[in-house]
Every structure is written in structure tokens, then in C-alpha cells.
Amino acid sequence: MTARAKTPKAKSGAQKTPSARSAHKAIETQPVKTAVRRVVTADIGSVHTRVALYDLVEGQFRLVGRAQALTTAAPRGYDVSEGLRRALAELGDLSGLNFLSADREQRLLMGEEYGNTFVATASGGKPIRTVLVGLMPNISLESGKRALESTYVELVDALDLLDVRTPEQQVNAILRATPDLILIVGGTNSGANAPMRALIETVRLAVQLAPGMKPVVLYAGNAALSAFVREQLEDHVLLYVTENVRPSLERESFDPIRLELALLYGDYRARTTPGFKTVQDASELGVLPSVESYGNIVRYLADASGRKQNVLMVDVGSSTVTVCAMVRGALNVTIRSDLGLGHSAVSGVEAVGARNIARWLTFEPAPNEIMDYAWNKTLRPATVPEISRELELEYALARELIRAAMQTSRQGWQGVPINAPLPPMQPIIGVGSVLAQPINAGIGALLLLDALQPLGIVDLRLDPYGVMASMGSLIHLEPLMVVQVLETGGLLNLATAICPSGKASGTALEARITYADGRSREVRMPSNTLRVVPVPIGQRAQVSVKLGRGLRLNGKRRLTFQAQGSAVGLLFDTRGRPLVLPRDTSKRAELLPKWYEAVQESS
Amino acid sequence: MPYYPETTVILGSTRIIREYKLPPNAIGRAEVSEGSTVAPDTVLLAGTIPSEVIFLDAVKLLGLRRPEQIAEEMLQVPVGEVYESGVTLLAHRAKRVITPKRALFAHFEAGRVVLQTDPQPVAVYALMEGRVNSASDRRVVLETGGALIQAAWGNGSASYGALSFAKDESSRERLGLEDEEDSGQVVVWEESIQSPEAFREAIQRRWRAIIAPSMTSALREQALRLGIPVILTEGFGNLPYSQIVYSLLESNRGRFTTVDAVQPSVWRSERPEIVIPTGPSARLRTPEVNLPLAIGATVRVTRLPHIGRLARVINLPESPITVENGLRVAAAEVQFSDNSEIAFVPLANVELIGRPLDAPSRPQS
């Protein structure tokens, strides 16, 4: 979608010199010159292992096949590579290629000698229990926390200079926390040593006393103390030392520590998940956390327009909800390991509150019905709702999980007040089965609109094939391929949502949609309604919108723009912001089905 | 393409191999050797779990000025052992460093004594008859045979006793047997637990464990505090027993039963289990858990509206099927064993029950 507002400013913008976007277009149309000809990707989630095949078609990389199987980590099986083999077997059947040896061993036929490149990402599995150690809570510890956002961790304790606990209590705290990882940050490279030495000694004593499996220690603090850290810890734990995340008060350096954390994630999973090592060994880059890939793609999309636009991605998984947002040029990543639709359903309901979930239901849930539902989902995360009542619960939970994750994410958005409406995002991408495989594409769009409540004209996209995870991991290895896959339908255009702000009485919106073949149709809508006008994928349409008094779209009452075709089409939303849901169940029972019906209808 | 559903073993007779481990924070060892036969009350592994760490400033307590002044001969006992309260660890002239309470003398450096206090003894019991397949420092593998029912949830306790039914226990009360100190009973509660009544009765009658089909999640905390195992075979809410589970329990009435009500963790492979052991037998086979779904396989449905029902797969359509709520999903056409009704059920909502003959082995490519 390209906005074409009738203002001098917009016109001058349209005539700018070749931008990054046109450069990308140039790449897209050029045949690829690369050593890589075929790429197989795998994303191991908590419930599903998804594989995809990318190949050159007429000189351009395309997604040519995909398959999935249940992830075979505990408690289902004991070897995560088994699920990968099952998915690859299916991909092999679909593509006519062999990805597994024919013998009983079923080795993974991956790598240059088999004519392919294999990359794997993972988002599933138990989060890494992490203790963060740093000097100042609002300086190094903050940098450490931001670095940890790039991977799947559960922060179980933090030690710092202002900690009122005695060293004895701190040692006990670390022992009680039973961390898998201790991340030590703190001290600028020219800063004081003594306080850091004391903290490092506390860590050393704790890991010495820890029975059983020792935590891994990652040091990303004052570079002058690296030798001391090695001397203290090397004999007791697996120690990694990387560049200082906060080399000076004014500067943060995230790339080295994020890379180390990504590698650590792979190593941690390889140590704790049977079969993971097999996948890690076969993959060109080891197994990277999916969230790292999400960040890469969101950053790419933000830059692709040449305008540094805001981009938002939400992944509603079984064990985590991830928000990746590029806002005002800064990437914000939030992983909520307590939110999820399967493994984390119970903690998710506890976090968002059953009452908030109930406000999206057309029925009054029985006492404990929502929590019983969540418990059964946690016990059997791969199952799907089969009756309407449970599907409604699932959709309601999904909306609230996204809302909760967004609230956390927005705390880190610089210059955007937390309670302000969502700033313009282009596009918004949804990831996860509940969004990608609803009963109708319109429902996926509705869930995103309800949970995020965007304003303006926004492209909604879906990632039904796991492209975000796989392409994000390839962005450094094969950037041309990533560009081509993303710009040739790797992400599904779900809908173009038109969401005016404000409240109006009477007619809220009138629109004229003119298709490329000259046909046109008109839409007239009251407020508090939803309406879909199809624009099929591959087509474009010009949309002219006129709003009722009190409503604005991108600050204007009249607007004309070009819309790309999408699975749903144009989705006009005059419900206003924030959405108001009736407290009375009978009124909700009238209203919500109308919304569901509206987004599934093509007028 | 073959679909590999989850497997929840529900078998009347199977080979059972189980691994027992010390808790990860315990220090201890195996108490049995490979090949030995064990009883339910045999301790397989024993050890201690150290708890709080305390520091003692030996420099100060010995009246010294610097850590370097502490000589080796001042050390009165070896480091790494557990000592009772009042034991002298270091001595210098009349000054002493003594254990303030029972503690593990964990570490001594730079003039600082590090104790881990209150080491809690820990013992891992066999809970059933069996033969030790292997034993190492922290791990024992036991083998037995018998009925096995894998359940949905447990409250984290384990016990054993004679399998009885709550309704029978009521008649027992009328016979005046309720005053026994220990009923010795693992009791099947016939209905979903929707009120604390089941727990009150369990305490009053001194049951050793409760087996129930389901429970309202509102009682979960209470169940966790109960002190005896509570195991749910189906899940949370108001769900009845699967017919196959109830029949299996009923047919084993009065027999020795082990309830290992492990609290299921999404990140661990252990599952709550009911075992009715008959002892190791060479003729029994281990249930297969990694089988593809095939026509003819017996499955149990895991979601409403057919939750808990047993069915036989009669068709595996290639194309997705639209189910009641409108979702289009890969599905199996099944015939229910209770009333011969035929329905489509999402593949994601069926599980195998571990019968080795239900499905062929992994297809060879």
C-alpha cells in the first residue's frame, strides 16, 4: 500500500531520488549470482517443527515447499531431530528431493555436498533461567536486560551494587535460583574494578557450591577485568567472555553480546534437549533463536521503504509471545515467556486475568472455565479447539496475550507515551497458528485489529510459512535471497485495514474503490462497524475515503491511496479507539458475532 | 504423509522400565546394585540436600588479624563432610570455630568458613516390585511388568496401596473399619472432584492416594498441599473417566497399585502414572510411543466434544476437514467404540494408547 495524500509534502516525497526501496526492486529483478542454489530451513517451535524449501525459479529465489510435524521434545518424545526428520520426509515427498538417507539411520542430507544450505532456528524449549549481575541498576543492568531480550530467557534474579543483601544472602539467592546462565555485565572499560571484583567472587562461590549441573557464565563487562574473571571462574564453569555491553556511560554495544547469546542458546538447547545437537551440527549457522531472525527481518522491512518506517511483528506461540517493533529507528524486542496459547496458557491467563479474557466472549463462562481450559491447553498444547465455545476462548485469550505483550513492549519505545494510541506501523505482521490458520483469513485480521487497535491505513501481513524465522537467519548469509523471498509473497498480504480515529454519529465513512480494470464500488458505513471489500491478491485498487465529522485518517477527513490486493482485501474499521466492549454479556452476544461475520463477508 | 500423534499409554499388561534420580541439588548415591530385586519400600537412592549457605569469619572467631595467619593444623576436621551442631571446625589456642547447627562444611578460603546448613536427608523409594536394570551414582533404572495408565496431572506426591473405590470405602465405614491408622488404600474417586469433599474424606479415612478423572482447577492449590498423591487421568474441569481407564481400574480392584503423581512440567518427559505391577516378565513388551497414525489404530480423543472417548481410525482423508466450529484441519475419520458413531476428529486431538499391535512400525522409505 502506498499512501498518496493530496498534499504538497506527499507529492514531493513521491518524486525523490532512487531510494533504498528502488534499490531493492533492482535486486529483485536481477538474476541471482550466488553459490547457494537451494536452501532448506527449519524452525523448531514448542509444538511444531516447520521446514521450508527455497529454490531458484527463473533466476529468483522462491519459497517452493513447506511441511511441518509435531516437535518431538519432552514430553512427547525424547529426540527433537525425530520431528525434524518427519517434517523433512514430508518436504521430500512434496518436492521430489531427498533430505534423509534411505537407511534406517535417516541421516540429514544437508550441506554443500548434498547441494543445499540448511539453517535452523528455534523458539521452543524451556527458557534459559538467568541471573543478571551488574554494577548499577539503571546503567549496566539495563543494558544487560536489553541484551537478554534477544533470546529466550527467564530472568530469575539480579545482583547489583545497590543490592541490600549480604554476600551470604546473594550466594543463597543464586543457589536457590538454580540458573542455567549467569550474565555478568557492569563497569565501563575505564571504570572502577573493586566493586565488580566482589560481585565476581560472589558468583564464583555460588557456582562452586552449586550441586549438579553448573550454570554457564557469560561475561560482558569491564574489559580490564576479563583476566580476573577467567582466573576466578574458568575452573568451575563453562565461561564465555565477550565485549563489554556498556564500554562507556554513553555507549552500548549489543551486537557482540547478542551474537554470543544466540550461540549460547543453541549450546544450551543442545545440552538440555536430546537430538538438538544433531540439528545444530547440520545447520550452517548452528541453531539460532527465532527472535534474532525476527529482529533482522523487522529491521530490514523498516529500512526497505527508505523512510525508516515503524514496523511491528507479533508472534503468538505456545510457550511465548514475542513482540518485535522498530519504532522511531530503534528495534525493541520483547519476549514474554509467561504468555502463550499452549505451554504457557496457565501463566498467560494468570498474567492477563480471566476477567479480561471474558470480555471477548459471547457467553458468561462458568466459574473456573477459563482456567480449566488453560490448564488443559498447557497439558496438551498441540490440541486444537473443536467446538465453537472453545474456539471463542482461544481467540479471546490470543487477543489478551497480544495486548499484555504489547504493554510490556511499549515500555521500551522511546518517545512514545505508553497510553497513547499505537503509532503508525507499516506493516503489522502476525505470526503463530492462531493468527495464520484461523477459520477464515478475516478472523486473523480481526484478532490483530482487536488486540493492537492500530489507527490509520495499515497493511496487515501474516507469516503462515515460518518465513520470518528462516529468512531472518539467512539475512547475513544470503541477503539477496531474503529480499527476493520477502518481496515475492514470502509473507502473505492479509488485509489493508482502514482505521479512522475519533467518534462520529451517522455515517462514519464513505469510500470509493476503483479497481485496475476500471470497475468500482462504493461503501457507506456507520460508526462501530466493520466491513470488508475484496481486492484479490495480485491486483491493486485506488481507494478514496471520505470520513464523517469527528473522524480522521492519517490526520485527514479525505484521503486517496493505492491498495495492494490481499487475502481479505480492504478492511474498513469504524469502531473507534479504544474499542469499547459491552459489559453486559447479552449485548456482547449481539455485537461480537457481527464483527466475526463482517470480516468473513466479502461485500 | 504419516502423522505421528502423541501417545498416552493405557495398557493392561506391559513391560515398564522407569528411571529414578536423586533431585538435582542432592548429594548422594545408589543404595541398590544392578540385578537386585526390590520391594516397594526399598530405598533406591539416598543422599542429602544442602540448604542455606552461611559464612563464618574464621579470622575474627580465632582472634587473628589476617587470613594468612590461619595454619593448616588449625583445621580440626576435613572439608566436605556433614557435622552436627557444636563440632569444632577450626581451633587456635582457646578460640574455636564451631558449627552453629548441623551443616555441611562446604568450603574454606580466605579466612572464611562456608557452611551449608540443615542438610535434608532424601531417599528415593522403588514404590513397586521390580528388578534393577542399572545403578549409578545418581540414577537407578528399574524394570517391572503390569498395567500402566499414564495420566494428565499429578500433585507431585507418590505412594502405593491396595486399589479400592470410594463407593466401596463408604460401605467399609459402615463396617466400622474407618478407625484404622492407615487405610492402606489407593482410592478411585468415581467422579470429577468439584469440591474439597474428596480431600476431607481422604484425610478422614487415611487414604494413601486419590485417583480421579478430573478436578476443577480452583482446587489445585489445595491438592498440592494435601500430602497424599492426587492424580487426574483426564485433566481439569468436569470430565468423566475414559471408559478404558475406568475399566482398567475396575478390573484391578484390590490389587497393589503405585501412584506416581508427578506434577507434569511442559519441559520434562516424566508423566504422572498409575502402575499396577505384576513383576518383571520376559514375555512382556515395552509400549511403542513413536508410531504413525494408521487405519485400524485405536485412539483416544483429547478435546471436547468427544474427549476421553476411544475410537478406531477408519479413514485418514488427504484433504483438511471442516470441524464443528469452522476450523479446517487435518482430521481422522473414526468410529467410536462405545456406540459405533462415526465422526471426523482433528489429528491434533487424538492420541495413541500404546498398544503395540495397533499400528505398523515406522514405514521404511
Side-chain angles (χ1 to χ4, degrees):
Chain A
M1 188 278 304
T2 312
R4 190 163 63 82
K6 290 177 181 171
T7 63
K9 193 177 171 187
K11 279 178 186 170
S12 66
Q15 292 165 0
K16 63 188 171 197
T17 53
S19 63
R21 190 186 186 104
S22 53
H24 284 298
K25 286 287 175 199
I27 290 168
E28 187 194 323
T29 52
Q30 292 296 316
V32 168
K33 288 176 185 168
T34 170
V36 177
R37 286 289 174 273
R38 184 175 294 145
V39 171
V40 181
T41 64
D43 184 40
I44 301 167
S46 298
V47 172
H48 291 112
T49 295
R50 295 186 171 88
V51 294
L53 174 65
Y54 301 88
D55 212 338
L56 277 174
V57 179
E58 296 170 354
Q60 299 210 12
F61 275 112
R62 299 286 162 99
L63 171 70
V64 294
R66 65 189 175 94
Q68 71 175 32
L70 286 179
T71 295
T72 46
R76 295 181 198 99
Y78 303 100
D79 186 339
V80 81
S81 69
E82 186 63 30
L84 175 63
R85 286 191 180 90
R86 290 171 188 168
L88 286 173
E90 188 174 346
L91 189 66
D93 272 13
L94 294 169
S95 64
L97 298 167
N98 270 338
F99 302 112
L100 301 169
S101 67
D103 54 19
R104 199 175 168 75
E105 216 180 316
Q106 290 197 300
R107 279 175 298 110
L108 306 180
L109 305 181
M110 298 295 173
E112 209 174 312
E113 58 186 303
Y114 300 106
N116 61 49
T117 298
F118 175 60
V119 291
T121 52
S123 59
K126 186 181 171 189
I128 306 172
R129 288 177 65 82
T130 303
V131 168
L132 179 60
V133 179
L135 269 186
M136 299 305 293
N138 53 352
I139 302 173
S140 52
L141 233 54
E142 271 307 306
S143 301
K145 279 180 189 165
R146 275 200 287 278
L148 286 171
E149 284 171 353
S150 67
T151 194
Y152 300 95
V153 300
E154 181 190 355
L155 194 58
V156 287
D157 205 339
L159 274 60
D160 60 57
L161 202 58
L162 306 184
D163 198 326
V164 293
R165 294 174 291 189
T166 63
E168 185 180 273
Q169 288 168 328
Q170 288 178 332
V171 168
N172 279 317
I174 294 175
L175 290 173
R176 268 195 299 272
T178 57
D180 305 306
L181 168 70
I182 299 177
L183 172 61
I184 308 174
V185 293
T188 56
N189 282 347
S190 54
N193 285 348
M196 270 312 286
R197 282 175 186 268
L199 283 168
I200 291 162
E201 279 178 1
T202 301
V203 170
R204 194 256 302 150
L205 194 54
V207 296
Q208 253 182 298
L209 295 173
M213 205 171 176
K214 308 278 185 188
V216 170
V217 176
L218 173 59
Y219 181 72
N222 184 349
L225 283 174
S226 298
F228 177 72
V229 168
R230 285 202 173 88
E231 178 198 307
Q232 287 284 311
L233 295 168
E234 216 158 37
D235 290 344
H236 307 294
V237 292
L238 190 56
L239 173 70
Y240 296 89
V241 177
T242 188
E243 287 176 35
N244 193 348
V245 67
R246 195 88 186 218
S248 68
L249 281 177
E250 301 76 27
R251 198 164 76 85
E252 289 176 301
S253 168
F254 287 117
D255 284 350
I257 189 173
R258 281 185 174 152
L259 176 65
E260 209 61 59
L261 283 167
L263 298 172
L264 257 169
Y265 172 76
D267 289 348
Y268 168 74
R269 293 296 308 276
R271 277 193 301 142
T272 56
T273 312
F276 209 83
K277 182 87 171 65
T278 311
V279 186
Q280 198 182 29
D281 290 346
S283 172
E284 196 83 10
L285 303 166
V287 181
L288 299 172
S290 308
V291 65
E292 168 92 359
S293 301
Y294 293 160
N296 290 339
I297 296 296
V298 164
R299 203 182 279 129
Y300 162 77
L301 290 171
D303 293 343
S305 67
R307 289 179 300 179
K308 291 268 178 205
Q309 61 196 13
N310 297 336
V311 176
L312 178 65
M313 185 229 68
V314 287
D315 176 5
V316 189
S318 174
S319 55
T320 56
V321 176
T322 305
V323 177
C324 235
M326 195 75 174
V327 182
R328 298 163 69 104
L331 181 67
N332 295 270
V333 179
T334 299
I335 303 168
R336 288 277 305 257
S337 301
D338 60 332
L339 305 178
L341 277 173
H343 293 76
S344 303
V346 169
S347 49
V349 170
E350 284 167 352
V352 304
R355 190 180 291 180
N356 283 327
I357 295 165
R359 71 198 184 101
W360 294 102
L361 300 176
T362 59
F363 57 88
E364 193 60 49
N368 300 308
E369 182 177 358
I370 293 174
M371 198 42 116
D372 289 345
Y373 177 83
W375 266 105
N376 289 328
K377 278 287 286 187
T378 295
L379 295 174
R380 296 183 175 109
T383 59
V384 295
E386 207 174 326
I387 58 172
S388 298
R389 191 176 176 96
E390 291 200 338
L391 188 62
E392 231 186 284
L393 269 170
E394 185 103 341
Y395 288 161
L397 179 55
R399 288 173 172 109
E400 286 300 319
L401 295 178
I402 295 172
R403 246 168 53 88
M406 281 295 290
Q407 278 170 4
T408 309
S409 176
R410 291 189 61 160
Q411 289 169 16
W413 295 8
Q414 305 265 325
V416 181
I418 288 176
N419 294 323
L422 188 73
M425 294 285 171
Q426 198 62 293
I428 291 174
I429 306 159
V431 183
S433 299
V434 71
L435 299 170
Q437 293 157 8
I439 56 176
N440 177 288
I443 301 286
L446 177 66
L447 297 181
L448 284 173
L449 290 184
D450 288 351
L452 299 169
Q453 303 192 21
L455 286 170
I457 303 160
V458 58
D459 286 342
L460 303 178
R461 293 191 195 169
L462 275 186
D463 181 16
Y465 317 128
V467 163
M468 294 280 293
S470 52
M471 287 298 101
S473 63
L474 275 168
I475 209 156
H476 300 301
L477 209 62
E478 286 296 325
L480 299 185
M481 178 182 178
V482 176
V483 171
Q484 291 188 344
V485 169
L486 287 178
E487 299 206 352
T488 54
L491 295 176
L492 176 73
N493 286 341
L494 177 63
T496 299
I498 299 102
C499 313
S501 59
K503 297 275 177 198
S505 54
T507 300
L509 181 147
E510 290 174 68
R512 183 181 180 85
I513 299 100
T514 309
Y515 296 97
D517 62 5
R519 285 180 305 121
S520 67
R521 67 169 55 181
E522 292 187 355
V523 172
R524 198 179 159 90
M525 289 171 67
S527 59
N528 207 23
T529 51
L530 287 159
R531 184 145 174 202
V532 165
V533 176
V535 179
I537 289 175
Q539 293 188 22
R540 293 176 74 84
Q542 178 173 286
V543 185
S544 297
V545 179
K546 181 184 162 196
L547 298 168
R549 193 177 296 277
L551 292 178
R552 290 289 183 274
L553 197 57
N554 293 355
K556 301 174 182 64
R557 273 192 68 196
R558 287 170 181 268
L559 196 67
T560 298
F561 61 92
Q562 292 289 326
Q564 278 183 9
S566 56
V568 176
L570 299 165
L571 177 45
F572 294 96
D573 179 357
T574 60
R575 297 176 298 171
R577 300 289 185 263
L579 287 181
V580 179
L581 291 156
R583 286 179 178 216
D584 184 344
T585 311
S586 61
K587 286 185 180 158
R588 284 203 307 274
E590 271 177 39
L591 182 68
L592 289 168
K594 285 181 186 164
W595 291 356
Y596 283 121
E597 280 161 27
V599 295
Q600 295 179 76
E601 278 173 5
S602 294
S603 56
Chain B
M1 280 304 297
Y3 173 77
Y4 290 79
E6 306 213 14
T7 300
T8 293
V9 180
I10 306 167
L11 292 175
S13 185
T14 186
R15 187 179 179 204
I16 301 163
I17 297 173
R18 289 294 173 266
E19 184 185 56
Y20 296 73
K21 282 181 181 171
L22 278 172
N25 51 347
I27 302 161
R29 58 181 173 267
E31 298 285 310
V32 290
S33 54
E34 195 175 315
S36 56
T37 302
V38 298
D41 57 357
T42 303
V43 174
L44 300 179
L45 295 139
T48 54
I49 301 176
S51 55
E52 292 289 297
V53 167
I54 54 171
F55 294 168
L56 300 178
D57 188 344
V59 177
K60 193 173 164 189
L61 292 168
L62 295 177
L64 302 172
R65 287 180 188 165
R66 297 185 310 277
E68 303 83 61
Q69 289 178 288
I70 299 177
E72 202 170 315
E73 56 268 24
M74 294 179 194
L75 204 58
Q76 302 296 302
V77 291
V79 177
E81 300 286 328
V82 174
Y83 299 104
E84 296 301 323
S85 170
V87 172
T88 303
L89 304 176
L90 288 112
H92 175 57
R93 295 183 186 148
K95 308 262 184 181
R96 286 167 194 285
V97 178
I98 58 169
T99 48
K101 51 166 85 170
R102 188 170 186 268
L104 171 74
F105 186 3
H107 201 66
F108 177 60
E109 64 163 22
R112 186 163 61 187
V113 169
V114 180
L115 299 177
Q116 287 185 282
T117 62
D118 300 325
Q120 300 294 313
V122 56
V124 179
Y125 290 91
L127 299 173
M128 58 190 177
E129 283 179 10
R131 187 177 56 230
V132 176
N133 270 3
S134 69
S136 63
D137 271 0
R138 304 182 58 84
R139 175 177 173 270
V140 168
V141 177
L142 198 64
E143 178 179 339
T144 191
L148 173 62
I149 300 168
Q150 290 190 322
W153 185 82
N155 67 345
S157 300
S159 188
Y160 52 80
L163 188 67
S164 65
F165 283 66
K167 58 186 175 195
D168 301 343
E169 288 299 292
S170 304
S171 51
R172 193 181 291 267
E173 184 182 10
R174 289 195 295 275
L175 294 171
L177 300 176
E178 72 278 12
D179 292 332
E180 290 175 8
E181 275 190 19
D182 172 11
S183 72
Q185 307 292 316
V186 165
V187 175
V188 177
W189 191 260
E190 278 89 348
E191 291 170 350
S192 174
I193 300 174
Q194 295 295 311
S195 75
E197 187 206 341
F199 302 155
R200 278 198 293 270
E201 205 161 331
I203 293 163
Q204 197 184 340
R205 295 172 192 273
R206 297 179 170 85
W207 293 343
R208 286 191 175 178
I210 306 173
I211 298 170
S214 60
M215 179 179 80
T216 169
S217 55
L219 292 172
R220 191 181 145 272
E221 290 295 330
Q222 222 168 314
L224 290 172
R225 292 193 301 267
L226 193 61
I228 62 165
V230 177
I231 198 164
L232 308 178
T233 61
E234 314 300 322
F236 285 92
N238 192 353
L239 309 170
Y241 279 111
S242 295
Q243 190 54 46
I244 184 174
V245 171
Y246 191 78
S247 301
L248 203 48
L249 292 170
E250 208 166 33
S251 63
N252 283 288
R253 187 189 294 259
R255 293 185 56 188
F256 179 90
T257 301
T258 298
V259 175
D260 189 4
V262 170
Q263 254 196 84
S265 157
V266 291
W267 311 120
R268 288 203 320 259
S269 55
E270 292 96 343
R271 300 182 66 161
E273 291 179 336
I274 302 161
V275 178
I276 304 159
T278 52
S281 165
R283 64 178 183 81
L284 292 175
R285 291 168 58 188
T286 312
E288 287 209 52
V289 293
N290 273 324
L291 290 174
L293 195 62
I295 291 172
T298 302
V299 293
R300 188 166 74 146
V301 182
T302 55
R303 286 290 287 256
L304 290 170
H306 303 297
I307 188 165
R309 291 176 78 185
L310 217 59
R312 187 163 287 270
V313 177
I314 57 172
N315 187 21
L316 290 166
E318 296 265 320
S319 305
I321 300 291
T322 303
V323 292
E324 183 200 310
N325 59 21
L327 278 178
R328 270 183 77 72
V329 289
E333 191 174 11
V334 301
Q335 182 164 34
F336 292 104
S337 53
D338 47 5
N339 63 358
S340 300
E341 180 197 349
I342 291 174
F344 285 101
V345 179
L347 292 184
N349 296 353
V350 298
E351 61 184 13
L352 293 170
I353 56 170
R355 281 176 201 272
L357 297 178
D358 269 339
S361 298
R362 180 210 297 269
Q364 296 299 309
S365 50

